[in-house]
DNA sequence: TATACATATAAGTGTATTATTATATAAGTA
DNA sequence: TACTTATATAATAATACACTTATATGTATA
C-alpha cells in the first residue's frame, strides 16, 4: 500500500488558493480527463491568450500540471507525480464534469487543430 | 440514500478561495472537531481580534460556519446543513489534525475561560 | 447605572491578484 | 529566409484581499 505523506496545512492552503479561481479550477477538472493545449483554453474561456498562459504557469509552478511540447503546441496535463495529486483527485471528484466544454469546441471545429 | 445535489463549479471555486487562506483553513479544520469562540482563535493565530472576526464572517456569509451566543461569547461551529458540508468534509479529511493548537491553549490556561 | 469584557463593524492602507496590451520566443511552412 | 501560428513574458492598471486602528454593540456584573 502506498504511503501518502502528510502535507502541511499551509501547503494545502496555497493549493486551494490556486484552485479557488473559476478558470483554473475548470482547467484542472478538464485536464483530469483530457490533456489540453493553450489554444483550446483560450477558445473555451473566451479570454486572452496571455491570461490563460499566466493561469497555467501558476499551476505549473506549483507542480500541479506539466507541459510537453508537440510541434508548435504545448500540451498540458495533470502531473500525476505531484505530492498534491491524490489530494487534487479527491477535490476534483466532487466537481461536475466539464467535458461539455470540449464538445462545444468540437462542434465549432476548434479542437481538431492541435490535440486529438 | 441521501441525494447530493450537484454544485456548480463556480460555487465550489468561491468555497475553495475561502479555504485558500491558511488562517481560515486551519479554523475550519479545528471546527471540524471542536466548536471555538473568537477569543480562542485570537490567541491561536497571534493576530488581532478584528482580523479574526473578519475571517469568521466570510465563512459565515458563505454558510460554512454558524454562530451561537453563549453569554458574552459567540461560539462558532461548522454548519452541517450547508450544501457545501459534504464537500468540505471531504477536503478536511486530507488535512493534518490541528488539535495541538487547542492543547497549547489549554496549557496556557487560555481555553477554560469561555468554551469547554 | 457604570464598568468590563467579547465581539462586530468601519475606515484606511499596503500588498496580491488578474486582467490587458505590447513584445519576445520558438516551431512550422512557403 | 520571410511569414505564420502558438505560446510566453513584461509592464501596467484595476480590483480584491487581509491586515491595522478606532469605534460601536451587546452582555455580564459591581
Amino acid at each position: 500500500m502506498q504511503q501518502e505523506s502528510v502535507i502541511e496545512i499551509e501547503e494545502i492552503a496555497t493549493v486551494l488558493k490556486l484552485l479557488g479561481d473559476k478558470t483554473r479550477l475548470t482547467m484542472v477538472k478538464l485536464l483530469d480527463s483530457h490533456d489540453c493545449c493553450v489554444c483550446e483554453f483560450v477558445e473555451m474561456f473566451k479570454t486572452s491568450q496571455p491570461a490563460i498562459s499566466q493561469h497555467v504557469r501558476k499551476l505549473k509552478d506549483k507542480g500541479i500540471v506539466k507541459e510537453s511540447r508537440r510541434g508548435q503546441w504545448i500540451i498540458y496535463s495533470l502531473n500525476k507525480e505531484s505530492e498534491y495529486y491524490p489530494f487534487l483527485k479527491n477535490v476534483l471528484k466532487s466537481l461536475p464534469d466539464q467535458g461539455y466544454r470540449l464538445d462545444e469546441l468540437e462542434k465549432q471545429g476548434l479542437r481538431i487543430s492541435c490535440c486529438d
Side-chain angles (χ1 to χ4, degrees), chain A:
Chain A
M1 178 186 167
Q2 193 178 351
Q3 170 84 26
E4 272 181 34
S5 64
V6 175
I7 304 171
E8 295 244 356
I9 201 163
E10 199 162 343
E11 282 291 295
I12 294 282
T14 68
V15 171
L16 292 175
K17 180 178 283 181
L18 282 177
L19 299 180
D21 174 276
K22 184 187 141 187
T23 302
R24 285 191 299 262
L25 186 61
T26 307
M27 279 178 169
V28 169
K29 176 68 181 181
L30 272 165
L31 291 177
D32 190 28
S33 48
H34 314 80
D35 297 352
C36 291
C37 67
V38 171
C39 60
E40 289 177 315
F41 287 141
V42 171
E43 288 301 327
M44 239 179 257
F45 295 112
K46 304 268 185 273
T47 183
S48 70
Q49 175 269 313
I52 296 296
S53 269
Q54 286 161 23
H55 280 303
V56 293
R57 186 172 45 161
K58 285 181 185 190
L59 294 171
K60 201 183 65 169
D61 286 350
K62 196 66 189 169
I64 291 170
V65 305
K66 61 182 181 186
E67 61 182 35
S68 68
R69 184 174 277 278
R70 179 145 107 201
Q72 43 185 341
W73 297 284
I74 295 181
I75 313 293
Y76 284 92
S77 56
L78 288 191
N79 177 11
K80 298 191 172 63
E81 274 73 46
S82 164
E83 61 177 329
Y84 307 118
Y85 184 69
F87 174 74
L88 188 67
K89 285 291 284 187
N90 189 38
V91 171
L92 294 183
K93 72 169 196 267
S94 304
L95 302 184
D97 185 75
Q98 299 295 304
Y100 74 92
R101 291 174 184 268
L102 286 166
D103 298 342
E104 281 172 13
L105 281 197
E106 198 100 42
K107 268 186 231 150
Q108 299 173 262
L110 292 166
R111 184 134 204 275
I112 3 139
S113 51
C114 51
C115 319
D116 44 57

